[in-house]
Amino acid sequence: MDLYQYFAEKLHCEESDLRISSSLVWSASLIEQIPEDRFSLADWREFLAYLHCSSPVSSTAEAKKALLLLKCPCSVR
C-alpha cells in the first residue's frame, strides 16, 4: 500500500479526491499516527507535490508537518 492508497482508504475516497475534493476532512490524528518508517521520505515528497504543497522537507516528520499545515492548519502547534 502506498501513501495515496493509505489516505484514500482512511478518508474513504478515491485517490484523485485527495487533491481535488475540498469536502474531505483531514484530521491531525490521522496524519500524526502514521509511523515515521511506514513510508519513505521520497514517498512523502511525491505525495506533497501531488497535493500542490511546495514546502521543502528533509525528514518524514517535516513532511507530516507540511501536510498538517496544508490540510489541518488550525491544528498545527
Side-chain angles (χ1 to χ4, degrees):
M1 173 180 295
D2 65 21
L3 202 46
Y4 302 85
Q5 295 165 330
Y6 178 86
F7 280 112
E9 181 179 298
K10 296 291 185 181
L11 295 169
H12 309 286
C13 67
E14 298 296 321
E15 290 178 31
S16 60
D17 293 336
L18 297 171
R19 179 172 53 181
I20 60 175
S21 179
S22 59
S23 64
L24 288 178
V25 178
W26 294 70
S27 70
S29 64
L30 171 66
I31 298 166
E32 292 169 343
Q33 73 184 4
I34 301 170
E36 295 290 319
D37 61 350
R38 175 89 189 253
F39 301 103
S40 72
L41 179 56
D43 292 336
W44 279 102
R45 285 179 175 158
E46 180 182 300
F47 186 67
L48 289 171
Y50 176 74
L51 297 177
H52 303 294
C53 177
S54 59
S55 298
V57 295
S58 59
S59 69
T60 54
E62 285 182 14
K64 288 166 68 173
K65 185 170 182 176
L67 185 56
L68 283 166
L69 286 168
L70 182 67
K71 296 296 185 178
C72 318
C74 295
S75 68
V76 177
R77 293 168 223 126

